[in-house]
Short mmCIF file of all heavy atoms in Angstrom, two decimals:
data_model
loop_
_atom_site.label_atom_id
_atom_site.label_comp_id
_atom_site.label_asym_id
_atom_site.label_seq_id
_atom_site.Cartn_x
_atom_site.Cartn_y
_atom_site.Cartn_z
N MET A 1 -21.92 14.38 18.00
CA MET A 1 -21.64 13.15 17.62
C MET A 1 -20.83 13.12 16.36
O MET A 1 -21.10 13.80 15.50
CB MET A 1 -23.00 12.39 17.38
CG MET A 1 -22.94 10.92 17.02
SD MET A 1 -24.53 10.16 17.07
CE MET A 1 -24.54 9.25 15.62
N SER A 2 -19.86 12.18 16.23
CA SER A 2 -18.86 11.99 15.29
C SER A 2 -19.31 11.09 14.30
O SER A 2 -19.97 10.11 14.59
CB SER A 2 -17.51 11.71 15.75
OG SER A 2 -16.71 11.54 14.91
N LEU A 3 -19.22 11.34 13.07
CA LEU A 3 -19.63 10.46 11.91
C LEU A 3 -18.77 9.27 11.95
O LEU A 3 -19.32 8.13 11.79
CB LEU A 3 -19.53 11.09 10.53
CG LEU A 3 -19.92 10.39 9.37
CD1 LEU A 3 -21.39 9.97 9.35
CD2 LEU A 3 -19.64 11.08 8.10
N PHE A 4 -17.52 9.39 12.29
CA PHE A 4 -16.58 8.26 12.40
C PHE A 4 -16.01 8.12 13.81
O PHE A 4 -15.63 9.19 14.44
CB PHE A 4 -15.55 8.27 11.42
CG PHE A 4 -15.85 8.39 10.03
CD1 PHE A 4 -15.86 9.55 9.31
CD2 PHE A 4 -16.35 7.20 9.40
CE1 PHE A 4 -16.18 9.56 7.97
CE2 PHE A 4 -16.82 7.18 8.08
CZ PHE A 4 -16.70 8.35 7.33
N ASP A 5 -15.65 6.90 14.32
CA ASP A 5 -15.19 6.67 15.58
C ASP A 5 -13.65 6.40 15.25
O ASP A 5 -13.32 5.32 14.85
CB ASP A 5 -15.74 5.58 16.29
CG ASP A 5 -14.98 5.40 17.66
OD1 ASP A 5 -14.06 6.05 18.10
OD2 ASP A 5 -15.37 4.50 18.38
N PHE A 6 -12.78 7.48 15.21
CA PHE A 6 -11.50 7.39 14.90
C PHE A 6 -10.55 6.51 15.79
O PHE A 6 -9.44 6.17 15.50
CB PHE A 6 -10.77 8.74 14.73
CG PHE A 6 -11.31 9.58 13.65
CD1 PHE A 6 -12.29 10.68 13.96
CD2 PHE A 6 -11.10 9.15 12.35
CE1 PHE A 6 -12.93 11.29 12.85
CE2 PHE A 6 -11.78 10.06 11.34
CZ PHE A 6 -12.69 11.00 11.54
N THR A 7 -11.13 6.11 16.87
CA THR A 7 -10.40 5.26 17.83
C THR A 7 -10.82 3.74 17.66
O THR A 7 -10.16 2.93 18.17
CB THR A 7 -10.72 5.66 19.29
OG1 THR A 7 -12.04 5.58 19.55
CG2 THR A 7 -10.31 7.14 19.55
N ASP A 8 -11.80 3.44 16.83
CA ASP A 8 -12.25 2.11 16.65
C ASP A 8 -11.22 1.39 15.80
O ASP A 8 -10.78 1.82 14.76
CB ASP A 8 -13.47 2.13 15.72
CG ASP A 8 -14.04 0.81 15.37
OD1 ASP A 8 -13.61 -0.19 16.09
OD2 ASP A 8 -14.73 0.65 14.39
N PRO A 9 -10.59 0.26 16.24
CA PRO A 9 -9.59 -0.53 15.62
C PRO A 9 -10.04 -0.94 14.28
O PRO A 9 -9.17 -0.99 13.44
CB PRO A 9 -9.45 -1.66 16.52
CG PRO A 9 -9.91 -1.41 17.88
CD PRO A 9 -10.87 -0.29 17.67
N GLY A 10 -11.29 -1.15 13.95
CA GLY A 10 -11.66 -1.56 12.71
C GLY A 10 -11.67 -0.36 11.72
O GLY A 10 -11.27 -0.60 10.52
N PHE A 11 -11.95 0.75 12.25
CA PHE A 11 -11.76 1.93 11.34
C PHE A 11 -10.32 2.17 11.06
O PHE A 11 -9.97 2.51 9.84
CB PHE A 11 -12.50 3.25 11.97
CG PHE A 11 -12.33 4.34 11.22
CD1 PHE A 11 -13.10 4.65 10.09
CD2 PHE A 11 -11.37 5.39 11.42
CE1 PHE A 11 -13.10 5.81 9.33
CE2 PHE A 11 -11.27 6.52 10.75
CZ PHE A 11 -11.97 6.65 9.66
N LEU A 12 -9.52 2.12 12.02
CA LEU A 12 -8.02 2.37 11.73
C LEU A 12 -7.60 1.32 10.72
O LEU A 12 -6.69 1.62 10.02
CB LEU A 12 -7.22 2.27 13.09
CG LEU A 12 -7.67 3.48 14.07
CD1 LEU A 12 -7.03 3.27 15.43
CD2 LEU A 12 -7.38 4.76 13.59
N GLY A 13 -7.91 0.00 11.03
CA GLY A 13 -7.51 -1.07 10.07
C GLY A 13 -7.99 -0.73 8.65
O GLY A 13 -7.16 -0.93 7.67
N TYR A 14 -9.19 -0.25 8.60
CA TYR A 14 -9.68 0.21 7.21
C TYR A 14 -8.82 1.32 6.51
O TYR A 14 -8.40 1.13 5.33
CB TYR A 14 -11.11 0.55 7.16
CG TYR A 14 -11.69 0.99 5.93
CD1 TYR A 14 -11.92 0.22 4.84
CD2 TYR A 14 -11.78 2.44 5.75
CE1 TYR A 14 -12.46 0.77 3.64
CE2 TYR A 14 -12.25 2.98 4.59
CZ TYR A 14 -12.55 2.17 3.55
OH TYR A 14 -12.98 2.76 2.34
N MET A 15 -8.56 2.25 7.26
CA MET A 15 -7.73 3.24 6.81
C MET A 15 -6.39 2.86 6.43
O MET A 15 -5.79 3.37 5.40
CB MET A 15 -7.57 4.45 7.94
CG MET A 15 -8.88 5.01 8.28
SD MET A 15 -9.62 6.11 6.88
CE MET A 15 -8.53 7.50 6.93
N GLU A 16 -5.80 1.99 7.14
CA GLU A 16 -4.46 1.33 6.81
C GLU A 16 -4.54 0.54 5.54
O GLU A 16 -3.70 0.81 4.72
CB GLU A 16 -4.05 0.61 7.99
CG GLU A 16 -2.60 0.18 7.89
CD GLU A 16 -2.11 -0.45 9.13
OE1 GLU A 16 -2.73 -1.44 9.57
OE2 GLU A 16 -1.16 -0.15 9.69
N SER A 17 -5.57 -0.30 5.42
CA SER A 17 -5.75 -1.03 4.21
C SER A 17 -5.97 -0.35 3.01
O SER A 17 -5.53 -0.59 1.82
CB SER A 17 -6.77 -2.20 4.41
OG SER A 17 -8.01 -1.47 4.33
N GLU A 18 -6.41 0.88 3.14
CA GLU A 18 -6.78 1.83 2.02
C GLU A 18 -5.41 2.72 1.71
O GLU A 18 -5.48 3.54 0.79
CB GLU A 18 -7.82 2.79 2.32
CG GLU A 18 -9.25 1.89 2.18
CD GLU A 18 -9.52 1.29 0.82
OE1 GLU A 18 -9.35 2.04 -0.25
OE2 GLU A 18 -9.64 0.09 0.88
N GLY A 19 -4.41 2.57 2.39
CA GLY A 19 -3.22 3.33 2.13
C GLY A 19 -3.27 4.82 2.72
O GLY A 19 -2.54 5.62 2.38
N CYS A 20 -4.26 5.00 3.60
CA CYS A 20 -4.41 6.37 4.19
C CYS A 20 -3.48 6.77 5.38
O CYS A 20 -3.44 7.95 5.82
CB CYS A 20 -5.82 6.65 4.59
SG CYS A 20 -6.90 6.46 3.30
N MET A 21 -2.73 5.81 5.79
CA MET A 21 -1.87 5.97 7.05
C MET A 21 -0.45 5.66 6.53
O MET A 21 -0.15 4.95 5.70
CB MET A 21 -2.33 5.12 8.10
CG MET A 21 -3.77 5.24 8.61
SD MET A 21 -4.20 4.24 9.89
CE MET A 21 -3.35 4.92 11.30
N ASN A 22 0.44 6.35 7.30
CA ASN A 22 1.87 6.14 6.92
C ASN A 22 2.48 5.04 7.78
O ASN A 22 3.72 5.08 8.09
CB ASN A 22 2.69 7.49 7.18
CG ASN A 22 2.33 8.50 6.12
OD1 ASN A 22 2.09 8.13 4.97
ND2 ASN A 22 2.39 9.80 6.37
N THR A 23 1.73 4.06 8.09
CA THR A 23 2.31 2.89 8.68
C THR A 23 2.95 1.97 7.58
O THR A 23 2.69 2.08 6.40
CB THR A 23 1.21 1.99 9.46
OG1 THR A 23 0.26 1.56 8.35
CG2 THR A 23 0.51 2.94 10.50
N ASN A 24 3.66 1.00 8.02
CA ASN A 24 4.19 0.09 7.00
C ASN A 24 3.17 -0.54 6.19
O ASN A 24 3.35 -0.60 4.94
CB ASN A 24 5.11 -1.07 7.76
CG ASN A 24 5.94 -1.75 6.88
OD1 ASN A 24 6.71 -1.12 6.09
ND2 ASN A 24 5.97 -3.11 6.98
N GLU A 25 2.19 -1.07 6.72
CA GLU A 25 1.02 -1.63 6.05
C GLU A 25 0.38 -0.60 5.08
O GLU A 25 -0.05 -0.94 3.92
CB GLU A 25 -0.01 -2.47 6.93
CG GLU A 25 -1.02 -3.10 6.28
CD GLU A 25 -0.53 -4.46 5.59
OE1 GLU A 25 0.67 -4.80 5.97
OE2 GLU A 25 -1.20 -4.83 4.72
N GLY A 26 0.14 0.59 5.64
CA GLY A 26 -0.40 1.58 4.80
C GLY A 26 0.33 1.91 3.63
O GLY A 26 -0.22 2.21 2.56
N LEU A 27 1.73 1.98 3.76
CA LEU A 27 2.49 2.32 2.56
C LEU A 27 2.53 1.13 1.47
O LEU A 27 2.51 1.46 0.39
CB LEU A 27 3.92 2.56 3.06
CG LEU A 27 4.21 3.82 4.06
CD1 LEU A 27 5.56 3.94 4.56
CD2 LEU A 27 3.82 4.99 3.30
N ILE A 28 2.43 0.03 1.99
CA ILE A 28 2.42 -1.20 1.10
C ILE A 28 1.02 -1.12 0.38
O ILE A 28 1.04 -1.25 -0.94
CB ILE A 28 2.63 -2.59 1.87
CG1 ILE A 28 3.99 -2.59 2.42
CG2 ILE A 28 2.26 -3.66 1.01
CD1 ILE A 28 4.24 -3.73 3.51
N SER A 29 0.12 -0.85 1.10
CA SER A 29 -1.24 -0.72 0.33
C SER A 29 -1.37 0.37 -0.60
O SER A 29 -1.89 0.13 -1.71
CB SER A 29 -2.25 -0.55 1.47
OG SER A 29 -2.50 -1.65 2.32
N ARG A 30 -0.73 1.44 -0.34
CA ARG A 30 -0.61 2.60 -1.25
C ARG A 30 0.04 2.25 -2.60
O ARG A 30 -0.46 2.46 -3.65
CB ARG A 30 0.08 3.80 -0.55
CG ARG A 30 -0.26 5.02 -1.21
CD ARG A 30 0.38 6.23 -0.37
NE ARG A 30 0.09 6.18 0.99
CZ ARG A 30 0.83 6.93 1.87
NH1 ARG A 30 1.91 7.58 1.51
NH2 ARG A 30 0.39 6.88 3.13
N VAL A 31 1.17 1.62 -2.47
CA VAL A 31 1.78 1.10 -3.59
C VAL A 31 1.11 0.03 -4.43
O VAL A 31 0.99 -0.07 -5.60
CB VAL A 31 3.26 0.59 -3.31
CG1 VAL A 31 3.91 -0.03 -4.46
CG2 VAL A 31 4.10 1.75 -2.63
N ALA A 32 0.39 -0.90 -3.62
CA ALA A 32 -0.33 -2.00 -4.28
C ALA A 32 -1.59 -1.37 -5.14
O ALA A 32 -1.78 -1.83 -6.21
CB ALA A 32 -1.01 -2.94 -3.24
N LYS A 33 -2.19 -0.27 -4.56
CA LYS A 33 -3.27 0.41 -5.36
C LYS A 33 -2.78 0.90 -6.69
O LYS A 33 -3.37 0.71 -7.78
CB LYS A 33 -3.86 1.58 -4.57
CG LYS A 33 -4.71 1.13 -3.49
CD LYS A 33 -5.34 2.35 -2.84
CE LYS A 33 -6.53 1.84 -1.89
NZ LYS A 33 -7.68 2.40 -2.35
N VAL A 34 -1.54 1.53 -6.73
CA VAL A 34 -1.00 1.90 -7.95
C VAL A 34 -0.62 0.70 -8.90
O VAL A 34 -0.99 0.66 -10.08
CB VAL A 34 0.36 2.80 -7.68
CG1 VAL A 34 0.76 3.20 -8.97
CG2 VAL A 34 -0.14 3.96 -6.91
N LEU A 35 -0.01 -0.32 -8.44
CA LEU A 35 0.40 -1.41 -9.16
C LEU A 35 -0.86 -2.25 -9.73
O LEU A 35 -0.71 -2.83 -10.73
CB LEU A 35 1.43 -2.23 -8.42
CG LEU A 35 2.72 -1.64 -8.29
CD1 LEU A 35 3.63 -2.56 -7.35
CD2 LEU A 35 3.48 -1.31 -9.45
N ASN A 36 -1.78 -2.31 -8.98
CA ASN A 36 -3.01 -2.91 -9.39
C ASN A 36 -3.62 -2.37 -10.61
O ASN A 36 -4.47 -3.00 -11.23
CB ASN A 36 -4.10 -3.02 -8.31
CG ASN A 36 -3.87 -4.29 -7.39
OD1 ASN A 36 -3.30 -5.37 -7.86
ND2 ASN A 36 -4.15 -4.21 -6.22
N GLU A 37 -3.29 -1.10 -10.93
CA GLU A 37 -3.81 -0.39 -12.15
C GLU A 37 -2.91 -0.78 -13.36
O GLU A 37 -3.39 -0.45 -14.48
CB GLU A 37 -3.94 0.99 -12.00
CG GLU A 37 -4.83 1.47 -10.87
CD GLU A 37 -4.73 2.99 -10.53
OE1 GLU A 37 -4.05 3.70 -11.28
OE2 GLU A 37 -5.52 3.42 -9.65
N SER A 38 -1.87 -1.44 -13.16
CA SER A 38 -0.88 -1.86 -14.22
C SER A 38 -1.51 -2.84 -15.12
O SER A 38 -2.14 -3.86 -14.60
CB SER A 38 0.42 -2.31 -13.76
OG SER A 38 1.21 -2.81 -14.84
N PRO A 39 -1.48 -2.86 -16.50
CA PRO A 39 -1.93 -3.83 -17.33
C PRO A 39 -0.94 -5.05 -17.42
O PRO A 39 -1.28 -6.10 -18.14
CB PRO A 39 -2.08 -3.18 -18.72
CG PRO A 39 -1.10 -2.11 -18.57
CD PRO A 39 -1.01 -1.69 -17.27
N ASN A 40 0.27 -4.86 -16.89
CA ASN A 40 1.30 -5.89 -17.01
C ASN A 40 1.07 -7.09 -16.04
O ASN A 40 0.63 -6.88 -14.94
CB ASN A 40 2.67 -5.14 -16.74
CG ASN A 40 2.90 -4.16 -17.69
OD1 ASN A 40 2.51 -4.19 -18.79
ND2 ASN A 40 3.60 -3.08 -17.19
N ASP A 41 1.46 -8.16 -16.53
CA ASP A 41 1.44 -9.45 -15.62
C ASP A 41 2.58 -9.56 -14.65
O ASP A 41 2.41 -10.13 -13.73
CB ASP A 41 1.38 -10.71 -16.55
CG ASP A 41 0.09 -10.74 -17.25
OD1 ASP A 41 -0.89 -10.20 -16.84
OD2 ASP A 41 -0.05 -11.49 -18.33
N THR A 42 3.71 -8.87 -15.16
CA THR A 42 4.77 -8.95 -14.24
C THR A 42 5.19 -7.44 -14.02
O THR A 42 5.07 -6.60 -14.97
CB THR A 42 6.05 -9.72 -14.85
OG1 THR A 42 6.29 -9.27 -16.11
CG2 THR A 42 5.58 -11.18 -14.89
N ILE A 43 5.76 -7.20 -13.00
CA ILE A 43 6.28 -5.84 -12.58
C ILE A 43 7.69 -5.81 -12.50
O ILE A 43 8.31 -6.54 -11.75
CB ILE A 43 5.63 -5.31 -11.24
CG1 ILE A 43 3.97 -5.56 -11.19
CG2 ILE A 43 6.04 -3.97 -10.83
CD1 ILE A 43 3.40 -4.59 -12.25
N ASP A 44 8.31 -5.08 -13.34
CA ASP A 44 9.85 -4.82 -13.29
C ASP A 44 10.18 -3.83 -12.30
O ASP A 44 9.39 -3.15 -11.73
CB ASP A 44 10.38 -4.59 -14.64
CG ASP A 44 9.98 -3.28 -15.30
OD1 ASP A 44 9.36 -2.46 -14.60
OD2 ASP A 44 10.31 -3.04 -16.52
N THR A 45 11.49 -3.59 -12.11
CA THR A 45 11.98 -2.69 -11.01
C THR A 45 11.57 -1.26 -11.38
O THR A 45 11.20 -0.53 -10.58
CB THR A 45 13.58 -2.96 -10.99
OG1 THR A 45 13.83 -4.20 -10.63
CG2 THR A 45 14.11 -2.02 -9.98
N ALA A 46 11.65 -0.93 -12.64
CA ALA A 46 11.34 0.47 -13.04
C ALA A 46 9.86 0.72 -12.73
O ALA A 46 9.61 1.85 -12.27
CB ALA A 46 11.71 0.61 -14.44
N GLU A 47 9.02 -0.17 -13.06
CA GLU A 47 7.57 0.10 -12.77
C GLU A 47 7.38 0.17 -11.22
O GLU A 47 6.56 0.94 -10.80
CB GLU A 47 6.73 -0.98 -13.47
CG GLU A 47 5.28 -0.69 -13.35
CD GLU A 47 4.43 -1.62 -14.19
OE1 GLU A 47 4.96 -2.71 -14.75
OE2 GLU A 47 3.30 -1.31 -14.24
N PHE A 48 7.95 -0.71 -10.57
CA PHE A 48 7.78 -0.79 -9.10
C PHE A 48 8.32 0.61 -8.49
O PHE A 48 7.59 1.17 -7.64
CB PHE A 48 8.72 -1.92 -8.35
CG PHE A 48 8.81 -1.77 -6.95
CD1 PHE A 48 7.76 -2.01 -6.10
CD2 PHE A 48 10.05 -1.22 -6.38
CE1 PHE A 48 7.93 -1.77 -4.73
CE2 PHE A 48 10.22 -1.21 -5.08
CZ PHE A 48 9.19 -1.34 -4.11
N ARG A 49 9.50 1.15 -8.93
CA ARG A 49 10.01 2.30 -8.46
C ARG A 49 9.07 3.46 -8.80
O ARG A 49 8.81 4.43 -7.95
CB ARG A 49 11.46 2.60 -8.83
CG ARG A 49 12.38 1.55 -8.25
CD ARG A 49 13.84 1.77 -8.73
NE ARG A 49 14.31 2.88 -8.00
CZ ARG A 49 14.85 2.82 -6.76
NH1 ARG A 49 14.79 1.76 -6.00
NH2 ARG A 49 15.37 3.90 -6.10
N ALA A 50 8.53 3.40 -10.01
CA ALA A 50 7.59 4.51 -10.57
C ALA A 50 6.29 4.58 -9.79
O ALA A 50 5.86 5.58 -9.43
CB ALA A 50 7.29 4.35 -12.00
N ALA A 51 5.88 3.31 -9.40
CA ALA A 51 4.70 3.16 -8.49
C ALA A 51 4.93 3.86 -7.06
O ALA A 51 4.00 4.43 -6.55
CB ALA A 51 4.10 1.76 -8.48
N CYS A 52 6.02 3.46 -6.62
CA CYS A 52 6.34 4.07 -5.25
C CYS A 52 6.35 5.54 -5.27
O CYS A 52 5.78 6.19 -4.42
CB CYS A 52 7.75 3.46 -4.80
SG CYS A 52 7.72 1.73 -4.31
N VAL A 53 7.05 6.09 -6.22
CA VAL A 53 7.08 7.53 -6.47
C VAL A 53 5.66 8.17 -6.56
O VAL A 53 5.38 9.15 -5.97
CB VAL A 53 8.04 7.99 -7.53
CG1 VAL A 53 7.96 9.52 -7.86
CG2 VAL A 53 9.62 7.65 -7.28
N SER A 54 4.96 7.54 -7.40
CA SER A 54 3.61 7.94 -7.54
C SER A 54 2.82 7.88 -6.30
O SER A 54 1.88 8.80 -6.07
CB SER A 54 2.92 7.12 -8.68
OG SER A 54 1.52 7.48 -8.78
N ALA A 55 3.06 7.02 -5.45
CA ALA A 55 2.34 6.78 -4.19
C ALA A 55 2.90 7.55 -3.13
O ALA A 55 2.34 7.56 -1.92
CB ALA A 55 2.20 5.27 -3.76
N GLY A 56 4.06 8.24 -3.35
CA GLY A 56 4.74 9.04 -2.30
C GLY A 56 5.39 8.12 -1.28
O GLY A 56 5.51 8.55 -0.06
N VAL A 57 6.05 6.96 -1.78
CA VAL A 57 6.63 6.10 -0.88
C VAL A 57 8.07 5.97 -1.41
O VAL A 57 8.31 5.79 -2.62
CB VAL A 57 6.01 4.70 -0.81
CG1 VAL A 57 6.71 3.69 -0.17
CG2 VAL A 57 4.56 4.86 -0.44
N ASP A 58 9.02 5.84 -0.53
CA ASP A 58 10.53 5.68 -0.89
C ASP A 58 10.62 4.20 -1.28
O ASP A 58 10.43 3.36 -0.37
CB ASP A 58 11.31 6.05 0.38
CG ASP A 58 12.81 5.81 0.02
OD1 ASP A 58 13.19 5.46 -1.11
OD2 ASP A 58 13.60 5.86 0.90
N PRO A 59 11.00 3.94 -2.54
CA PRO A 59 11.10 2.50 -2.86
C PRO A 59 12.27 1.80 -2.26
O PRO A 59 12.27 0.53 -2.10
CB PRO A 59 11.38 2.60 -4.50
CG PRO A 59 11.71 4.00 -4.70
CD PRO A 59 11.17 4.80 -3.58
N ASP A 60 13.38 2.61 -1.82
CA ASP A 60 14.41 1.97 -1.05
C ASP A 60 13.99 1.56 0.35
O ASP A 60 14.86 0.93 1.00
CB ASP A 60 15.54 2.83 -1.09
CG ASP A 60 16.08 3.14 -2.53
OD1 ASP A 60 16.14 2.20 -3.32
OD2 ASP A 60 16.61 4.33 -2.83
N SER A 61 12.86 1.96 0.88
CA SER A 61 12.48 1.52 2.22
C SER A 61 11.97 0.16 2.19
O SER A 61 11.67 -0.31 3.32
CB SER A 61 11.54 2.61 2.79
OG SER A 61 10.32 2.46 2.08
N PHE A 62 11.66 -0.40 1.18
CA PHE A 62 11.06 -1.80 1.15
C PHE A 62 11.99 -2.78 1.40
O PHE A 62 13.11 -2.92 0.90
CB PHE A 62 10.38 -2.16 -0.16
CG PHE A 62 9.02 -1.58 -0.39
CD1 PHE A 62 8.73 -0.33 -0.54
CD2 PHE A 62 7.91 -2.39 -0.53
CE1 PHE A 62 7.51 0.21 -0.82
CE2 PHE A 62 6.68 -1.97 -0.65
CZ PHE A 62 6.39 -0.57 -0.69
N THR A 63 11.69 -3.68 2.41
CA THR A 63 12.40 -4.88 2.67
C THR A 63 11.87 -6.08 1.96
O THR A 63 10.83 -5.96 1.35
CB THR A 63 12.40 -5.21 4.21
OG1 THR A 63 10.97 -5.60 4.56
CG2 THR A 63 12.86 -4.05 4.95
N GLN A 64 12.45 -7.23 2.00
CA GLN A 64 11.99 -8.26 1.34
C GLN A 64 10.78 -8.85 1.99
O GLN A 64 9.79 -9.05 1.08
CB GLN A 64 13.08 -9.55 1.38
CG GLN A 64 12.54 -10.74 0.63
CD GLN A 64 12.34 -10.44 -0.90
OE1 GLN A 64 13.39 -9.89 -1.53
NE2 GLN A 64 11.29 -10.78 -1.50
N VAL A 65 10.48 -8.58 3.09
CA VAL A 65 9.18 -8.92 3.84
C VAL A 65 8.12 -7.99 3.33
O VAL A 65 7.00 -8.52 2.95
CB VAL A 65 9.36 -8.83 5.34
CG1 VAL A 65 7.91 -8.97 5.98
CG2 VAL A 65 10.25 -9.91 6.03
N ASP A 66 8.44 -6.68 2.99
CA ASP A 66 7.53 -5.79 2.48
C ASP A 66 7.17 -6.19 1.05
O ASP A 66 5.93 -6.03 0.68
CB ASP A 66 8.20 -4.41 2.55
CG ASP A 66 8.31 -3.80 3.98
OD1 ASP A 66 7.62 -4.33 4.82
OD2 ASP A 66 9.22 -2.88 4.02
N LEU A 67 8.14 -6.63 0.24
CA LEU A 67 7.89 -6.97 -1.12
C LEU A 67 7.10 -8.29 -1.16
O LEU A 67 6.12 -8.30 -2.00
CB LEU A 67 9.21 -7.23 -1.81
CG LEU A 67 10.05 -6.04 -2.05
CD1 LEU A 67 11.49 -6.45 -2.51
CD2 LEU A 67 9.38 -4.98 -2.99
N ASN A 68 7.26 -9.19 -0.20
CA ASN A 68 6.36 -10.29 -0.18
C ASN A 68 4.92 -9.95 0.14
O ASN A 68 3.89 -10.44 -0.40
CB ASN A 68 6.94 -11.35 0.86
CG ASN A 68 8.23 -11.90 0.51
OD1 ASN A 68 8.64 -11.80 -0.67
ND2 ASN A 68 8.91 -12.47 1.50
N ARG A 69 4.82 -9.06 1.18
CA ARG A 69 3.49 -8.61 1.50
C ARG A 69 2.76 -7.82 0.41
O ARG A 69 1.49 -7.97 0.14
CB ARG A 69 3.49 -7.58 2.76
CG ARG A 69 2.20 -7.11 3.27
CD ARG A 69 1.51 -8.22 4.05
NE ARG A 69 0.22 -7.72 4.44
CZ ARG A 69 -0.96 -8.17 4.03
NH1 ARG A 69 -1.03 -9.22 3.23
NH2 ARG A 69 -2.10 -7.62 4.37
N LEU A 70 3.52 -7.08 -0.36
CA LEU A 70 3.07 -6.36 -1.60
C LEU A 70 2.49 -7.29 -2.50
O LEU A 70 1.57 -7.18 -3.13
CB LEU A 70 4.10 -5.40 -2.21
CG LEU A 70 3.73 -4.74 -3.43
CD1 LEU A 70 2.62 -3.73 -3.18
CD2 LEU A 70 4.96 -3.94 -3.96
N GLN A 71 3.37 -8.39 -2.79
CA GLN A 71 3.01 -9.39 -3.88
C GLN A 71 1.56 -10.07 -3.36
O GLN A 71 0.65 -10.34 -4.24
CB GLN A 71 4.03 -10.46 -3.89
CG GLN A 71 3.86 -11.39 -5.00
CD GLN A 71 5.01 -12.45 -5.29
OE1 GLN A 71 5.93 -12.54 -4.30
NE2 GLN A 71 4.79 -13.02 -6.36
N GLN A 72 1.34 -10.17 -2.15
CA GLN A 72 0.11 -10.81 -1.67
C GLN A 72 -1.08 -9.87 -1.90
O GLN A 72 -2.22 -10.26 -2.13
CB GLN A 72 0.09 -11.04 -0.09
CG GLN A 72 1.17 -12.20 0.22
CD GLN A 72 1.30 -12.31 1.64
OE1 GLN A 72 0.67 -11.42 2.53
NE2 GLN A 72 1.81 -13.34 2.13
N LYS A 73 -0.84 -8.55 -1.96
CA LYS A 73 -2.01 -7.63 -2.18
C LYS A 73 -2.31 -7.43 -3.68
O LYS A 73 -3.29 -6.78 -3.96
CB LYS A 73 -1.57 -6.37 -1.56
CG LYS A 73 -1.61 -6.39 0.03
CD LYS A 73 -1.34 -4.89 0.46
CE LYS A 73 -1.61 -4.84 1.87
NZ LYS A 73 -3.09 -4.69 2.17
N LEU A 74 -1.39 -7.82 -4.49
CA LEU A 74 -1.57 -7.63 -5.95
C LEU A 74 -2.51 -8.67 -6.50
O LEU A 74 -2.65 -9.80 -5.93
CB LEU A 74 -0.24 -7.63 -6.76
CG LEU A 74 0.69 -6.63 -6.35
CD1 LEU A 74 1.95 -6.71 -7.08
CD2 LEU A 74 0.16 -5.12 -6.63
N LYS A 75 -3.39 -8.24 -7.45
CA LYS A 75 -4.26 -9.17 -8.11
C LYS A 75 -3.94 -10.53 -8.26
O LYS A 75 -2.90 -10.92 -8.68
CB LYS A 75 -4.84 -8.67 -9.31
CG LYS A 75 -5.45 -7.34 -9.28
CD LYS A 75 -5.80 -6.93 -10.66
CE LYS A 75 -6.23 -5.47 -10.64
NZ LYS A 75 -6.49 -4.95 -11.94
#
């Protein structure tokens, strides 16, 4: 018996929201986790790029839709 049902859509959604998957949503979640630790009220380009690098995400891969989604995930 497995502790986790890796085929359960709820489990997969959780893993994605925690940034554990390399899906688009997972990558956005991963960067959001880093940026949510920032004490700044606004995030400049340099901080965004540094957060991406820290999270292992290519900052140039973000589209405007991705940036909008990222903004929704920030505090």
Side-chain angles (χ1 to χ4, degrees):
M1 182 166 133
S2 176
L3 182 61
F4 299 107
D5 180 1
F6 295 107
T7 62
D8 177 26
F11 179 76
L12 295 175
Y14 172 77
M15 295 293 289
E16 190 173 57
S17 72
E18 290 299 307
C20 298
M21 299 180 74
N22 286 332
T23 62
N24 195 44
E25 187 68 23
L27 297 175
I28 292 169
S29 295
R30 200 177 305 163
V31 173
K33 282 183 169 243
V34 174
L35 288 175
N36 274 328
E37 296 174 4
S38 172
N40 301 323
D41 290 336
T42 58
I43 306 297
D44 64 11
T45 303
E47 187 173 8
F48 165 74
R49 294 183 77 77
C52 287
V53 169
S54 175
V57 178
D58 177 10
D60 296 325
S61 69
F62 273 72
T63 65
Q64 186 60 51
V65 172
D66 296 335
L67 292 172
N68 294 343
R69 184 73 183 118
L70 175 62
Q71 187 174 14
Q72 292 173 350
K73 288 183 167 282
L74 298 177
K75 297 178 195 174

